[in-house]
Structures are given as C-alpha cells and as structure tokens.
Coordinates of all heavy atoms in Angstrom, one line a residue:
M2 N -40.7 -32.3 -114.9 CA -40.2 -31.1 -115.3 C -41.2 -30.0 -115.0 O -42.4 -30.1 -115.3 CB -39.9 -31.1 -116.8 CG -39.2 -29.9 -117.3 SD -37.6 -29.8 -116.7 CE -36.7 -29.2 -118.1
F3 N -40.8 -28.9 -114.4 CA -41.7 -27.8 -114.2 C -41.4 -26.6 -115.1 O -40.3 -26.6 -115.8 CB -41.5 -27.3 -112.7 CG -40.2 -26.6 -112.4 CD1 -40.1 -25.3 -112.5 CD2 -39.1 -27.4 -112.1 CE1 -38.9 -24.6 -112.2 CE2 -37.9 -26.8 -111.9 CZ -37.8 -25.4 -111.9
T4 N -42.2 -25.6 -115.1 CA -42.0 -24.5 -116.0 C -42.0 -23.2 -115.1 O -42.9 -23.1 -114.2 CB -43.2 -24.4 -117.0 OG1 -43.2 -25.6 -117.8 CG2 -43.0 -23.2 -117.9
R5 N -41.1 -22.3 -115.4 CA -41.1 -21.0 -114.7 C -42.0 -20.1 -115.5 O -41.9 -20.0 -116.7 CB -39.7 -20.5 -114.6 CG -38.8 -21.3 -113.7 CD -37.3 -20.9 -113.8 NE -37.2 -19.5 -113.4 CZ -36.1 -18.8 -113.4 NH1 -34.9 -19.5 -113.7 NH2 -36.0 -17.6 -113.0
I6 N -42.8 -19.4 -114.7 CA -43.7 -18.4 -115.4 C -43.7 -17.1 -114.6 O -43.5 -17.1 -113.4 CB -45.1 -18.9 -115.6 CG1 -45.8 -19.3 -114.3 CG2 -45.2 -20.1 -116.6 CD1 -47.3 -19.7 -114.4
S7 N -44.1 -16.0 -115.2 CA -44.2 -14.7 -114.5 C -45.5 -14.7 -113.7 O -46.4 -15.5 -113.9 CB -44.3 -13.6 -115.5 OG -45.5 -13.6 -116.3
A8 N -45.6 -13.7 -112.8 CA -46.8 -13.6 -112.0 C -48.0 -13.3 -112.9 O -49.1 -13.8 -112.7 CB -46.6 -12.4 -111.0
Q9 N -47.8 -12.5 -114.0 CA -49.0 -12.2 -114.9 C -49.4 -13.5 -115.6 O -50.6 -13.7 -115.8 CB -48.6 -11.1 -115.9 CG -49.8 -10.7 -116.7 CD -51.0 -10.2 -115.9 OE1 -50.8 -9.3 -115.1 NE2 -52.1 -10.8 -116.1
E10 N -48.4 -14.3 -116.0 CA -48.8 -15.6 -116.7 C -49.5 -16.5 -115.7 O -50.4 -17.2 -116.1 CB -47.5 -16.3 -117.2 CG -46.9 -15.6 -118.4 CD -45.5 -16.2 -118.8 OE1 -44.7 -16.3 -117.8 OE2 -45.3 -16.5 -120.0
A11 N -49.1 -16.5 -114.5 CA -49.8 -17.2 -113.4 C -51.2 -16.8 -113.3 O -52.2 -17.6 -113.2 CB -49.1 -17.2 -112.1
Q12 N -51.4 -15.5 -113.2 CA -52.8 -14.9 -113.1 C -53.6 -15.3 -114.3 O -54.8 -15.7 -114.2 CB -52.7 -13.4 -113.1 CG -54.1 -12.7 -113.1 CD -55.0 -13.0 -112.0 OE1 -54.5 -13.2 -110.9 NE2 -56.2 -13.1 -112.2
D13 N -53.0 -15.3 -115.5 CA -53.8 -15.7 -116.7 C -54.1 -17.2 -116.6 O -55.3 -17.6 -117.0 CB -52.9 -15.5 -118.0 CG -52.7 -14.0 -118.2 OD1 -53.4 -13.1 -117.7 OD2 -51.8 -13.7 -119.0
L14 N -53.2 -18.0 -116.2 CA -53.5 -19.5 -116.0 C -54.6 -19.7 -115.0 O -55.5 -20.5 -115.3 CB -52.3 -20.2 -115.5 CG -51.6 -21.2 -116.5 CD1 -50.3 -21.7 -115.8 CD2 -52.5 -22.3 -116.9
I15 N -54.6 -19.0 -113.9 CA -55.7 -19.1 -112.9 C -57.0 -18.7 -113.6 O -58.0 -19.5 -113.4 CB -55.4 -18.3 -111.7 CG1 -54.2 -18.8 -110.9 CG2 -56.6 -18.2 -110.8 CD1 -53.6 -17.9 -109.9
T16 N -57.0 -17.6 -114.3 CA -58.3 -17.2 -114.9 C -58.8 -18.1 -116.0 O -60.0 -18.4 -116.0 CB -58.0 -15.8 -115.5 OG1 -57.6 -14.9 -114.5 CG2 -59.3 -15.2 -116.1
Q17 N -57.9 -18.6 -116.8 CA -58.3 -19.4 -118.0 C -58.6 -20.9 -117.6 O -59.5 -21.5 -118.2 CB -57.2 -19.4 -119.0 CG -57.0 -18.0 -119.6 CD -55.7 -18.0 -120.4 OE1 -55.0 -19.0 -120.6 NE2 -55.4 -16.8 -120.9
S18 N -57.8 -21.5 -116.7 CA -57.9 -22.9 -116.6 C -58.3 -23.4 -115.2 O -58.2 -24.6 -114.9 CB -56.7 -23.6 -117.1 OG -55.6 -23.3 -116.2
Q19 N -58.6 -22.5 -114.3 CA -58.9 -22.9 -112.9 C -57.7 -23.6 -112.3 O -57.9 -24.7 -111.7 CB -60.1 -23.7 -112.9 CG -61.3 -23.1 -113.5 CD -61.8 -21.8 -112.8 OE1 -61.8 -21.8 -111.5 NE2 -62.1 -20.8 -113.5
A20 N -56.5 -23.2 -112.5 CA -55.3 -23.8 -112.0 C -55.4 -23.8 -110.4 O -55.9 -23.0 -109.8 CB -54.0 -23.1 -112.4
Q21 N -54.7 -24.8 -109.9 CA -54.6 -25.0 -108.4 C -53.4 -24.2 -108.0 O -52.4 -24.1 -108.8 CB -54.3 -26.4 -108.1 CG -55.4 -27.4 -108.6 CD -55.0 -28.8 -108.5 OE1 -55.4 -29.5 -107.6 NE2 -54.2 -29.3 -109.4
V22 N -53.4 -23.6 -106.8 CA -52.3 -22.8 -106.3 C -51.9 -23.3 -104.9 O -52.8 -23.4 -104.1 CB -52.6 -21.3 -106.3 CG1 -51.4 -20.5 -105.8 CG2 -53.1 -20.8 -107.6
V23 N -50.6 -23.5 -104.7 CA -50.1 -23.8 -103.4 C -49.0 -22.8 -103.0 O -48.3 -22.3 -103.9 CB -49.5 -25.3 -103.3 CG1 -50.6 -26.3 -103.5 CG2 -48.4 -25.5 -104.3
D24 N -49.0 -22.5 -101.8 CA -48.1 -21.5 -101.2 C -47.2 -22.2 -100.2 O -47.7 -22.8 -99.3 CB -48.9 -20.4 -100.6 CG -48.0 -19.2 -100.2 OD1 -46.9 -19.3 -99.8 OD2 -48.5 -18.0 -100.4
I25 N -45.9 -22.2 -100.4 CA -45.0 -22.9 -99.5 C -44.3 -22.0 -98.5 O -43.3 -22.4 -97.8 CB -44.0 -23.8 -100.3 CG1 -43.1 -22.9 -101.2 CG2 -44.7 -24.8 -101.1 CD1 -41.9 -23.6 -101.8
R26 N -44.8 -20.8 -98.4 CA -44.2 -19.9 -97.4 C -44.6 -20.3 -96.0 O -45.4 -21.2 -95.8 CB -44.6 -18.4 -97.7 CG -44.1 -17.9 -99.0 CD -44.6 -16.5 -99.3 NE -46.1 -16.5 -99.3 CZ -46.8 -15.5 -98.9 NH1 -46.3 -14.4 -98.5 NH2 -48.1 -15.6 -99.0
D27 N -44.1 -19.6 -95.0 CA -44.5 -20.0 -93.6 C -45.9 -19.5 -93.3 O -46.4 -18.6 -94.0 CB -43.5 -19.4 -92.6 CG -43.5 -17.9 -92.5 OD1 -44.4 -17.3 -91.9 OD2 -42.6 -17.3 -93.2
P28 N -46.5 -20.1 -92.3 CA -47.9 -19.8 -92.0 C -48.2 -18.3 -91.7 O -49.2 -17.7 -92.1 CB -48.3 -20.6 -90.7 CG -47.3 -21.8 -90.8 CD -46.1 -21.2 -91.4
Q29 N -47.2 -17.6 -91.1 CA -47.4 -16.2 -90.8 C -47.4 -15.3 -92.0 O -48.3 -14.4 -92.2 CB -46.3 -15.7 -89.8 CG -46.3 -16.3 -88.5 CD -45.7 -17.7 -88.4 OE1 -45.1 -18.2 -89.3 NE2 -46.0 -18.4 -87.3
A30 N -46.5 -15.6 -93.0 CA -46.5 -14.9 -94.2 C -47.8 -15.2 -95.0 O -48.4 -14.3 -95.6 CB -45.3 -15.3 -95.0
F31 N -48.2 -16.4 -95.0 CA -49.4 -16.8 -95.7 C -50.6 -16.1 -95.1 O -51.5 -15.5 -95.9 CB -49.6 -18.3 -95.6 CG -50.8 -18.8 -96.4 CD1 -50.8 -19.1 -97.7 CD2 -52.0 -19.1 -95.7 CE1 -51.9 -19.6 -98.4 CE2 -53.2 -19.5 -96.4 CZ -53.1 -19.8 -97.8
S32 N -50.7 -16.0 -93.8 CA -51.8 -15.3 -93.1 C -51.8 -13.8 -93.5 O -52.9 -13.2 -93.5 CB -51.7 -15.5 -91.6 OG -52.0 -16.8 -91.3
A33 N -50.6 -13.2 -93.7 CA -50.5 -11.8 -94.0 C -51.0 -11.5 -95.4 O -51.3 -10.3 -95.7 CB -49.1 -11.3 -93.7
G34 N -51.0 -12.5 -96.3 CA -51.4 -12.3 -97.6 C -51.0 -13.4 -98.5 O -49.9 -14.0 -98.3
H35 N -51.9 -13.8 -99.4 CA -51.6 -14.9 -100.4 C -52.4 -14.7 -101.6 O -53.4 -13.9 -101.6 CB -51.8 -16.2 -99.7 CG -53.2 -16.4 -99.2 ND1 -53.5 -16.1 -97.9 CD2 -54.3 -16.9 -99.7 CE1 -54.8 -16.4 -97.7 NE2 -55.3 -16.8 -98.8
I36 N -52.1 -15.5 -102.6 CA -52.9 -15.5 -103.9 C -54.3 -16.1 -103.5 O -54.4 -17.1 -102.9 CB -52.2 -16.4 -104.9 CG1 -50.8 -15.7 -105.3 CG2 -53.1 -16.5 -106.2 CD1 -50.0 -16.6 -106.2
P37 N -55.3 -15.4 -104.0 CA -56.7 -15.9 -103.7 C -56.8 -17.4 -104.1 O -56.5 -17.8 -105.2 CB -57.6 -15.0 -104.5 CG -56.8 -13.7 -104.6 CD -55.4 -14.2 -104.8
G38 N -57.4 -18.2 -103.2 CA -57.6 -19.6 -103.5 C -56.4 -20.5 -103.2 O -56.5 -21.7 -103.3
A39 N -55.3 -19.9 -102.9 CA -54.1 -20.7 -102.6 C -54.2 -21.5 -101.3 O -54.9 -21.1 -100.4 CB -52.8 -19.8 -102.5
V40 N -53.6 -22.6 -101.3 CA -53.5 -23.5 -100.2 C -52.1 -23.5 -99.6 O -51.2 -23.6 -100.3 CB -53.9 -25.0 -100.6 CG1 -53.7 -26.0 -99.4 CG2 -55.3 -25.1 -101.1
L41 N -52.0 -23.3 -98.3 CA -50.7 -23.3 -97.6 C -50.3 -24.8 -97.6 O -51.0 -25.7 -97.1 CB -50.9 -22.8 -96.2 CG -49.6 -22.8 -95.4 CD1 -48.5 -22.0 -96.0 CD2 -49.9 -22.4 -93.9
L42 N -49.1 -25.1 -98.2 CA -48.6 -26.4 -98.3 C -47.3 -26.5 -97.5 O -46.4 -25.7 -97.7 CB -48.4 -26.8 -99.8 CG -48.0 -28.2 -100.1 CD1 -49.2 -29.1 -99.7 CD2 -47.7 -28.4 -101.6
N43 N -47.3 -27.5 -96.6 CA -46.0 -27.8 -95.9 C -45.9 -29.3 -95.6 O -46.8 -30.1 -96.1 CB -46.0 -27.0 -94.6 CG -47.3 -27.3 -93.7 OD1 -47.7 -28.4 -93.6 ND2 -47.8 -26.3 -93.1
N44 N -44.9 -29.7 -94.9 CA -44.7 -31.2 -94.7 C -45.9 -31.8 -94.0 O -46.2 -33.0 -94.2 CB -43.4 -31.4 -93.9 CG -42.2 -31.2 -94.8 OD1 -42.3 -31.2 -96.0 ND2 -41.1 -30.8 -94.2
D45 N -46.6 -31.0 -93.1 CA -47.7 -31.6 -92.3 C -48.9 -32.0 -93.2 O -49.6 -32.9 -92.9 CB -48.1 -30.6 -91.3 CG -47.0 -30.4 -90.2 OD1 -46.2 -31.3 -90.0 OD2 -47.0 -29.3 -89.6
N46 N -49.2 -31.2 -94.3 CA -50.4 -31.5 -95.1 C -50.1 -31.9 -96.5 O -51.0 -32.1 -97.3 CB -51.3 -30.3 -95.0 CG -50.8 -29.1 -95.8 OD1 -49.6 -29.0 -96.1 ND2 -51.6 -28.1 -96.1
L47 N -48.8 -32.2 -96.8 CA -48.4 -32.5 -98.2 C -49.2 -33.7 -98.7 O -49.8 -33.7 -99.8 CB -46.9 -32.7 -98.3 CG -46.4 -33.2 -99.6 CD1 -46.6 -32.2 -100.7 CD2 -44.9 -33.5 -99.5
Q48 N -49.1 -34.8 -98.0 CA -49.7 -36.1 -98.5 C -51.2 -35.9 -98.6 O -51.8 -36.4 -99.6 CB -49.3 -37.3 -97.7 CG -49.6 -38.6 -98.4 CD -48.9 -38.7 -99.7 OE1 -47.7 -38.5 -99.9 NE2 -49.7 -39.0 -100.8
H49 N -51.8 -35.3 -97.7 CA -53.3 -35.1 -97.7 C -53.6 -34.3 -98.9 O -54.6 -34.6 -99.7 CB -53.8 -34.4 -96.4 CG -55.3 -34.2 -96.5 ND1 -55.8 -33.0 -96.9 CD2 -56.3 -35.0 -96.2 CE1 -57.1 -33.1 -96.9 NE2 -57.5 -34.3 -96.4
Y50 N -52.9 -33.2 -99.2 CA -53.1 -32.4 -100.4 C -53.0 -33.2 -101.7 O -53.9 -33.1 -102.5 CB -52.2 -31.2 -100.4 CG -52.5 -30.3 -101.6 CD1 -53.6 -29.4 -101.6 CD2 -51.7 -30.4 -102.7 CE1 -53.9 -28.7 -102.7 CE2 -52.0 -29.6 -103.9 CZ -53.1 -28.8 -103.9 OH -53.4 -28.1 -105.0
V51 N -51.9 -33.9 -101.8 CA -51.7 -34.7 -103.0 C -52.8 -35.7 -103.2 O -53.3 -35.9 -104.3 CB -50.3 -35.4 -102.9 CG1 -50.1 -36.4 -104.1 CG2 -49.2 -34.4 -102.9
D52 N -53.2 -36.4 -102.1 CA -54.3 -37.4 -102.2 C -55.6 -36.8 -102.7 O -56.4 -37.5 -103.3 CB -54.5 -38.1 -100.9 CG -53.3 -39.0 -100.5 OD1 -52.5 -39.3 -101.4 OD2 -53.2 -39.3 -99.3
S53 N -55.9 -35.5 -102.3 CA -57.2 -34.9 -102.7 C -57.1 -34.0 -103.9 O -58.2 -33.5 -104.4 CB -57.7 -34.2 -101.5 OG -56.8 -33.1 -101.1
A54 N -55.9 -33.7 -104.4 CA -55.8 -32.8 -105.5 C -56.1 -33.5 -106.9 O -56.0 -34.7 -107.0 CB -54.4 -32.2 -105.5
D55 N -56.4 -32.7 -107.9 CA -56.5 -33.1 -109.2 C -55.1 -33.1 -109.9 O -54.6 -32.0 -110.2 CB -57.5 -32.2 -110.0 CG -57.8 -32.7 -111.4 OD1 -57.0 -33.5 -112.0 OD2 -58.7 -32.2 -112.0
L56 N -54.5 -34.2 -110.1 CA -53.2 -34.3 -110.6 C -53.1 -33.9 -112.1 O -52.0 -33.6 -112.6 CB -52.6 -35.7 -110.5 CG -52.5 -36.3 -109.1 CD1 -52.0 -37.7 -109.1 CD2 -51.7 -35.4 -108.2
E57 N -54.2 -33.8 -112.8 CA -54.2 -33.4 -114.2 C -54.3 -31.9 -114.3 O -54.1 -31.3 -115.4 CB -55.3 -34.1 -115.0 CG -55.1 -35.6 -115.0 CD -53.7 -36.0 -115.6 OE1 -53.4 -35.4 -116.7 OE2 -53.0 -36.8 -115.1
K58 N -54.8 -31.2 -113.3 CA -55.0 -29.7 -113.3 C -53.7 -29.0 -113.1 O -52.9 -29.5 -112.3 CB -56.0 -29.4 -112.2 CG -56.7 -28.1 -112.4 CD -57.7 -27.9 -111.2 CE -59.0 -27.4 -111.7 NZ -59.9 -27.1 -110.6
P59 N -53.4 -28.0 -113.8 CA -52.1 -27.2 -113.6 C -52.0 -26.8 -112.2 O -53.0 -26.4 -111.5 CB -52.3 -26.0 -114.5 CG -53.3 -26.4 -115.5 CD -54.2 -27.3 -114.9
L60 N -50.8 -26.9 -111.7 CA -50.5 -26.6 -110.3 C -49.4 -25.5 -110.2 O -48.3 -25.6 -110.8 CB -49.9 -27.8 -109.5 CG -49.6 -27.5 -108.0 CD1 -50.8 -27.2 -107.2 CD2 -48.9 -28.7 -107.4
L61 N -49.8 -24.3 -109.7 CA -48.9 -23.2 -109.5 C -48.3 -23.2 -108.1 O -49.0 -23.4 -107.1 CB -49.6 -21.9 -109.7 CG -50.3 -21.7 -111.0 CD1 -51.2 -20.4 -111.0 CD2 -49.3 -21.6 -112.2
V62 N -47.0 -23.1 -108.0 CA -46.3 -23.1 -106.7 C -45.7 -21.7 -106.4 O -45.0 -21.2 -107.3 CB -45.2 -24.2 -106.7 CG1 -44.5 -24.2 -105.3 CG2 -45.7 -25.5 -107.0
C63 N -46.1 -21.2 -105.3 CA -45.6 -19.8 -104.9 C -44.8 -19.9 -103.6 O -45.1 -20.6 -102.7 CB -46.9 -19.0 -104.7 SG -46.6 -17.3 -104.2
C64 N -43.7 -19.1 -103.6 CA -42.9 -18.9 -102.4 C -42.7 -17.4 -102.2 O -43.5 -16.6 -102.7 CB -41.6 -19.7 -102.5 SG -40.5 -19.1 -103.8
Y65 N -41.7 -17.1 -101.5 CA -41.4 -15.6 -101.3 C -41.0 -14.9 -102.5 O -41.5 -13.9 -102.9 CB -40.3 -15.5 -100.2 CG -40.7 -15.9 -98.8 CD1 -40.4 -17.1 -98.3 CD2 -41.5 -15.0 -98.0 CE1 -40.8 -17.5 -97.1 CE2 -41.9 -15.4 -96.7 CZ -41.5 -16.7 -96.3 OH -41.9 -17.1 -95.0
H66 N -39.9 -15.4 -103.2 CA -39.3 -14.7 -104.3 C -39.1 -15.6 -105.5 O -38.4 -15.1 -106.5 CB -37.9 -14.1 -103.9 CG -38.0 -13.2 -102.7 ND1 -38.5 -11.9 -102.8 CD2 -37.7 -13.3 -101.4 CE1 -38.5 -11.3 -101.7 NE2 -38.0 -12.1 -100.8
G67 N -39.6 -16.8 -105.5 CA -39.5 -17.6 -106.7 C -38.3 -18.6 -106.8 O -38.1 -19.2 -107.8
N68 N -37.6 -18.7 -105.7 CA -36.5 -19.6 -105.6 C -36.9 -21.0 -105.1 O -36.7 -22.0 -105.8 CB -35.3 -19.1 -104.8 CG -34.8 -17.8 -105.4 OD1 -34.6 -17.7 -106.6 ND2 -34.6 -16.8 -104.6
S69 N -37.4 -21.1 -103.9 CA -37.8 -22.3 -103.3 C -38.9 -23.0 -104.1 O -39.0 -24.2 -104.1 CB -38.3 -22.1 -101.9 OG -37.3 -21.5 -101.1
S70 N -39.8 -22.2 -104.7 CA -40.9 -22.8 -105.5 C -40.4 -23.7 -106.7 O -41.1 -24.6 -107.1 CB -41.8 -21.7 -106.0 OG -41.2 -20.8 -106.8
Q71 N -39.2 -23.4 -107.2 CA -38.7 -24.2 -108.3 C -38.4 -25.6 -107.8 O -38.9 -26.6 -108.5 CB -37.4 -23.6 -108.8 CG -37.6 -22.2 -109.5 CD -36.4 -21.6 -110.0 OE1 -35.5 -22.3 -110.6 NE2 -36.2 -20.3 -109.7
G72 N -37.8 -25.8 -106.7 CA -37.6 -27.2 -106.2 C -38.9 -27.9 -105.8 O -39.0 -29.1 -106.1
A73 N -39.8 -27.1 -105.2 CA -41.1 -27.7 -104.9 C -41.9 -28.1 -106.1 O -42.5 -29.2 -106.1 CB -41.9 -26.7 -104.0
A74 N -41.9 -27.2 -107.1 CA -42.6 -27.6 -108.4 C -42.0 -28.8 -109.0 O -42.8 -29.7 -109.5 CB -42.6 -26.4 -109.3
D75 N -40.7 -28.9 -109.0 CA -40.1 -30.1 -109.6 C -40.4 -31.4 -108.8 O -40.8 -32.4 -109.4 CB -38.5 -29.9 -109.6 CG -37.8 -31.0 -110.4 OD1 -38.3 -31.4 -111.5 OD2 -36.8 -31.5 -109.9
F76 N -40.4 -31.3 -107.5 CA -40.7 -32.4 -106.6 C -42.2 -32.8 -106.8 O -42.5 -34.0 -106.9 CB -40.5 -32.0 -105.2 CG -41.0 -33.0 -104.1 CD1 -40.4 -34.1 -103.9 CD2 -42.2 -32.7 -103.5 CE1 -40.9 -35.1 -103.0 CE2 -42.7 -33.6 -102.5 CZ -42.1 -34.8 -102.3
L77 N -43.1 -31.9 -106.9 CA -44.5 -32.2 -107.0 C -44.8 -32.8 -108.4 O -45.7 -33.6 -108.5 CB -45.4 -30.9 -106.8 CG -45.4 -30.5 -105.3 CD1 -45.9 -29.0 -105.2 CD2 -46.2 -31.4 -104.5
N78 N -44.0 -32.4 -109.4 CA -44.2 -33.0 -110.7 C -43.6 -34.4 -110.8 O -44.2 -35.4 -111.1 CB -43.6 -32.1 -111.7 CG -43.6 -32.6 -113.1 OD1 -42.7 -33.3 -113.6 ND2 -44.7 -32.4 -113.8
S79 N -42.3 -34.5 -110.5 CA -41.6 -35.8 -110.7 C -41.9 -36.8 -109.6 O -42.0 -38.0 -109.9 CB -40.1 -35.5 -110.8 OG -39.6 -34.9 -109.6
D80 N -42.0 -36.4 -108.3 CA -42.2 -37.4 -107.2 C -43.7 -37.6 -106.8 O -44.0 -38.6 -106.3 CB -41.5 -36.9 -106.0 CG -40.0 -37.1 -106.2 OD1 -39.5 -37.4 -107.3 OD2 -39.2 -36.8 -105.2
K81 N -44.5 -36.6 -107.1 CA -45.9 -36.7 -106.6 C -46.9 -36.8 -107.7 O -48.1 -36.9 -107.5 CB -46.3 -35.5 -105.7 CG -45.5 -35.5 -104.4 CD -45.8 -36.7 -103.6 CE -45.0 -36.7 -102.3 NZ -45.2 -38.0 -101.5
G82 N -46.5 -36.8 -109.0 CA -47.4 -37.1 -110.1 C -48.2 -36.0 -110.7 O -49.1 -36.3 -111.5
F83 N -48.0 -34.7 -110.3 CA -48.8 -33.7 -111.0 C -48.3 -33.5 -112.4 O -47.1 -33.5 -112.7 CB -48.6 -32.3 -110.2 CG -49.3 -32.2 -109.0 CD1 -48.8 -32.7 -107.8 CD2 -50.6 -31.7 -109.0 CE1 -49.5 -32.6 -106.6 CE2 -51.4 -31.7 -107.8 CZ -50.8 -32.1 -106.6
A84 N -49.3 -33.4 -113.3 CA -49.0 -33.4 -114.8 C -48.2 -32.2 -115.2 O -47.3 -32.2 -116.0 CB -50.2 -33.6 -115.6
K85 N -48.7 -31.0 -114.7 CA -48.0 -29.7 -115.1 C -47.9 -28.9 -113.8 O -48.8 -28.5 -113.2 CB -48.9 -29.0 -116.1 CG -49.0 -29.6 -117.4 CD -49.7 -28.7 -118.4 CE -49.7 -29.4 -119.8 NZ -50.1 -28.5 -120.8
T86 N -46.6 -28.6 -113.5 CA -46.3 -27.7 -112.4 C -45.6 -26.5 -112.8 O -44.8 -26.5 -113.8 CB -45.5 -28.4 -111.3 OG1 -44.3 -28.9 -111.8 CG2 -46.3 -29.6 -110.7
Y87 N -45.8 -25.4 -112.2 CA -45.3 -24.1 -112.5 C -44.7 -23.4 -111.3 O -45.3 -23.4 -110.2 CB -46.3 -23.2 -113.1 CG -46.9 -23.7 -114.4 CD1 -48.0 -24.5 -114.3 CD2 -46.4 -23.4 -115.6 CE1 -48.6 -25.1 -115.5 CE2 -47.0 -23.9 -116.8 CZ -48.1 -24.7 -116.7 OH -48.6 -25.2 -117.9
S88 N -43.6 -22.8 -111.4 CA -43.0 -22.0 -110.4 C -43.2 -20.5 -110.8 O -42.8 -20.1 -111.9 CB -41.5 -22.3 -110.2 OG -40.8 -21.3 -109.4
I89 N -43.7 -19.7 -109.9 CA -43.9 -18.3 -110.2 C -42.7 -17.5 -109.9 O -42.2 -17.4 -108.8 CB -45.1 -17.8 -109.3 CG1 -46.4 -18.6 -109.6 CG2 -45.3 -16.3 -109.6 CD1 -47.5 -18.2 -108.7
D90 N -42.1 -17.0 -111.0 CA -40.9 -16.1 -110.9 C -41.2 -14.9 -110.1 O -42.2 -14.2 -110.3 CB -40.4 -15.7 -112.3 CG -39.6 -16.8 -113.0 OD1 -39.2 -17.7 -112.4 OD2 -39.5 -16.6 -114.3
G91 N -40.3 -14.6 -109.1 CA -40.5 -13.5 -108.2 C -41.4 -13.8 -107.0 O -41.6 -13.0 -106.2
G92 N -42.1 -15.0 -107.0 CA -42.9 -15.4 -105.9 C -44.0 -14.5 -105.6 O -44.5 -13.7 -106.4
F93 N -44.4 -14.5 -104.3 CA -45.5 -13.7 -103.9 C -45.2 -12.2 -104.0 O -46.1 -11.4 -104.2 CB -46.0 -14.0 -102.4 CG -47.2 -13.3 -102.0 CD1 -48.4 -13.6 -102.5 CD2 -47.1 -12.3 -101.1 CE1 -49.6 -12.9 -102.2 CE2 -48.2 -11.6 -100.7 CZ -49.5 -11.9 -101.2
E94 N -44.0 -11.9 -103.8 CA -43.6 -10.4 -103.9 C -43.9 -9.9 -105.3 O -44.4 -8.8 -105.5 CB -42.1 -10.3 -103.6 CG -41.8 -10.5 -102.1 CD -42.6 -9.6 -101.2 OE1 -42.7 -8.4 -101.4 OE2 -43.2 -10.2 -100.2
A95 N -43.6 -10.7 -106.4 CA -44.0 -10.3 -107.7 C -45.5 -10.2 -107.9 O -46.0 -9.4 -108.6 CB -43.3 -11.2 -108.7
W96 N -46.2 -11.2 -107.3 CA -47.6 -11.2 -107.4 C -48.2 -10.0 -106.8 O -49.1 -9.3 -107.4 CB -48.2 -12.5 -106.7 CG -49.6 -12.5 -106.7 CD1 -50.5 -11.9 -105.8 CD2 -50.5 -13.2 -107.7 NE1 -51.8 -12.2 -106.2 CE2 -51.8 -12.9 -107.3 CE3 -50.2 -13.9 -108.8 CZ2 -52.9 -13.5 -108.0 CZ3 -51.2 -14.4 -109.6 CH2 -52.6 -14.2 -109.2
K97 N -47.7 -9.6 -105.6 CA -48.2 -8.4 -105.0 C -48.0 -7.2 -105.9 O -48.9 -6.3 -105.9 CB -47.5 -8.1 -103.7 CG -48.1 -8.8 -102.5 CD -47.6 -8.3 -101.2 CE -46.2 -7.8 -101.1 NZ -45.8 -7.5 -99.7
M98 N -46.9 -7.1 -106.5 CA -46.6 -5.9 -107.3 C -47.5 -5.8 -108.6 O -47.8 -4.7 -109.0 CB -45.1 -6.0 -107.7 CG -44.2 -6.0 -106.6 SD -44.0 -4.4 -105.7 CE -43.1 -3.5 -106.9
G99 N -47.7 -7.0 -109.2 CA -48.4 -6.9 -110.5 C -49.8 -7.4 -110.6 O -50.5 -7.0 -111.5
C100 N -50.2 -8.3 -109.7 CA -51.5 -9.0 -109.9 C -52.5 -8.8 -108.8 O -53.6 -9.1 -108.9 CB -51.2 -10.5 -110.1 SG -50.2 -10.9 -111.5
E101 N -52.0 -8.3 -107.6 CA -52.9 -8.3 -106.5 C -54.2 -7.5 -106.7 O -55.3 -7.9 -106.3 CB -52.1 -7.7 -105.3 CG -52.9 -7.8 -104.0 CD -52.0 -7.4 -102.8 OE1 -51.3 -6.3 -103.0 OE2 -52.0 -8.1 -101.8
V102 N -54.1 -6.4 -107.4 CA -55.2 -5.6 -107.7 C -56.3 -6.4 -108.5 O -57.5 -6.2 -108.3 CB -54.8 -4.3 -108.4 CG1 -56.0 -3.5 -108.8 CG2 -53.9 -3.5 -107.5
E103 N -55.8 -7.2 -109.5 CA -56.7 -7.9 -110.3 C -57.3 -9.2 -109.7 O -58.3 -9.7 -110.2 CB -56.0 -8.4 -111.6 CG -55.4 -7.2 -112.4 CD -54.5 -7.7 -113.5 OE1 -54.6 -8.8 -113.9 OE2 -53.6 -6.9 -113.8
A104 N -56.6 -9.7 -108.6 CA -57.0 -11.0 -108.1 C -58.3 -10.9 -107.4 O -58.9 -9.9 -107.0 CB -55.9 -11.4 -107.1

C-alpha cells in the first residue's frame, strides 16, 4: 500500500528522513528538471535500482502530474518490497510550483 502526499509533504520527508526519490518521467523531461537527488527509473534500470536501494528507507515516486506515480508506488511497495512508498500528488509540476525554490 502506498500513500499519496503533497509536494510540500514530500519536501518535508526528504529533509527529515533522507527519503529516496525516483522519477518515472521520460529521460528528456528528467533532463529538463527533476527533484534534487532523484533517480530516473524505467524498465531498463528497475531491477538494478531495487537491488541497490534501501528497502526500509521511504521511497517517493514522482511523475508528471501524480497519476502514473500511484501505480508505480503501489508496484514498488507490493511487488518489489519497499516498506513505505509515496506518490507525489501533482507530480513534478506541483513540485516546481511549490518546492523548487527550497530544494
């Protein structure tokens, strides 16, 4: 089970607990801008990422607008063993609007 959180709550989690961040947008969008410290996650590097990640550390999943990240967060939690996964409501667009200056 994943949890939906706002961009500001995501920023707070990153600041407080050193949460991991993955971005599931396309490489061009990721290159144009992303949450600091985020890892671009796709089918090509998924298993490598899972094998090297800390499954106990909170994992934030970011997409364009917060829709695709919900399915990805659920998958990473239930199928890949991450203890706590979060989908950022509004995705990177919400992050840009409210958190980018603080990041």
Side-chain angles (χ1 to χ4, degrees):
M2 184 74 140
F3 71 95
T4 303
R5 292 173 58 181
I6 60 174
S7 70
Q9 186 57 56
E10 289 170 312
Q12 173 64 35
D13 293 345
L14 247 177
I15 291 167
T16 302
Q17 295 168 2
S18 68
Q19 305 296 318
Q21 305 167 101
V22 182
V23 294
D24 191 320
I25 61 169
R26 296 175 302 145
D27 67 79
Q29 294 79 13
F31 183 83
S32 292
H35 56 270
I36 296 171
V40 172
L41 178 63
L42 189 65
N43 57 39
N44 289 334
D45 294 334
N46 68 344
L47 173 63
Q48 195 56 52
H49 179 267
Y50 180 78
V51 171
D52 292 343
S53 62
D55 182 346
L56 299 179
E57 296 304 313
K58 203 178 221 185
L60 179 67
L61 302 171
V62 183
C63 179
C64 65
Y65 292 98
H66 301 287
N68 297 316
S69 299
S70 60
Q71 293 178 45
D75 189 44
F76 170 76
L77 290 163
N78 176 265
S79 61
D80 290 5
K81 295 298 179 182
F83 284 88
K85 291 188 178 191
T86 58
Y87 300 88
S88 170
I89 302 173
D90 281 343
F93 185 70
E94 292 303 313
W96 178 272
K97 273 195 331 189
M98 300 288 286
C100 299
E101 188 173 45
V102 173
E103 302 169 24

